[in-house]
Amino acid sequence: MAQVLRLLRPGQGSGDGAALAAAGAAALGVDGLAVSLAISGDLTELWWCSTPSSRRFEDLQLTVGEGPGRDAARTGAMVWAPDLDLVRPGRWPALSAEFPALGVRAVFCFPLGVGAARVGVLTAVRDTAGPLSPQQADDGLVLADALTAHFLGGGEPPGQDLDPAQAQQCLQHAVVYQATGMVSVQLAVTLPQALLRLRAHAYSSGRSITDICHDVVARRLRLNPNGNGNNPFPPPSTRTDSP
């Protein structure tokens, strides 16, 4: 963990989010690690993650609008689920239905922040059930505190100095907010309502919200004002303008 903390120092490679995520996961003895930065309320932006499993978990939380990361961001308290099979279904009803297909058995969310200042959430996932050891729990708290100090101290979020192609990988959910704005205008609804429509369409279609939003932004998909169904844009060659 001391080596991981050194990566957060200026000029020590903190811009390499993938390396920092992988090193943090190894130090904590978990299978995946992710950092999401707070945007508004319990909404967070996935900044970097170490594995596809941690990416899928973060994406699903955004799709269904609930989960331990959302709770940690909202309350500023740690939210741990050492065995997802034992989570009461009513706690995260939509998310719980997807647990069997996730390949994740345990989740540990550490809030990033001081007092009322919410910075984000550090989320660790494991492929096997079981609690963190006391040493792992202490290391998770140390890393969360170090990340909080880094961000509140004016440090650049990991990945900030990447080239444009890499930066697109860091801003995992930027396309979601772009699509939300487009749907808000197209359907004449508020931004929260537009995001709910995107979530509903993603969940009902069995696709990730990022995939749905990429289609919206690329104009391959347009949501129907009368429902959550697929109302694609007509091909450019057949599109006509009203007189």
Side-chain angles (χ1 to χ4, degrees):
M1 182 54 65
Q3 294 175 350
V4 175
L5 298 181
R6 279 196 291 271
L7 290 175
L8 284 170
R9 295 176 183 173
Q12 297 299 313
S14 64
D16 189 348
L20 184 55
L28 291 177
V30 296
D31 297 300
L33 201 66
V35 164
S36 296
L37 301 182
I39 295 177
S40 175
D42 64 349
L43 285 178
T44 58
E45 166 65 38
L46 178 60
W47 195 259
W48 49 249
C49 57
S50 63
T51 61
S53 62
S54 58
R55 185 192 304 271
R56 287 194 300 270
F57 189 80
E58 294 297 316
D59 195 53
L60 186 58
Q61 287 191 102
L62 179 61
T63 299
V64 301
E66 63 184 26
R70 303 295 294 270
D71 289 353
R74 184 181 68 255
T75 65
M78 292 186 295
V79 180
W80 291 3
D83 190 343
L84 292 179
D85 289 343
L86 301 181
V87 172
R88 178 174 52 85
R91 186 176 186 183
W92 305 305
L95 187 65
S96 296
E98 304 297 324
F99 284 161
L102 276 177
V104 172
R105 293 290 309 280
V107 180
F108 309 92
C109 296
F110 300 81
L112 307 180
V114 177
R118 302 281 189 264
V119 177
V121 179
L122 170 69
T123 300
V125 300
R126 273 204 319 226
D127 300 340
T128 57
L132 295 175
S133 70
Q135 183 63 58
Q136 290 171 325
D138 288 344
D139 283 346
L141 289 169
V142 168
L143 180 56
D145 286 345
L147 287 166
T148 298
H150 180 77
F151 296 139
L152 292 180
E156 296 292 348
Q160 188 71 21
D161 59 350
L162 300 180
D163 62 42
Q166 292 173 309
Q168 183 63 33
Q169 295 299 318
C170 292
L171 292 173
Q172 304 292 338
H173 290 147
V175 69
V176 174
Y177 304 109
Q178 186 177 1
T180 298
M182 291 178 64
V183 171
S184 174
V185 172
Q186 292 164 1
L187 302 185
V189 297
T190 65
L191 289 172
Q193 290 173 327
L195 181 57
L196 285 175
R197 293 292 300 273
L198 287 166
R199 284 174 175 164
H201 185 75
Y203 191 67
S204 64
S205 65
R207 301 175 62 200
S208 74
I209 192 169
T210 49
D211 286 345
I212 293 296
C213 290
H214 276 298
D215 283 351
V216 170
V217 171
R219 296 183 176 271
R220 293 187 295 266
L221 170 68
R222 180 167 183 162
L223 300 188
N224 192 320
N226 299 318
N228 289 323
N230 184 340
N231 181 20
F233 285 88
S237 60
T238 62
R239 197 178 302 167
T240 58
D241 295 325
S242 299

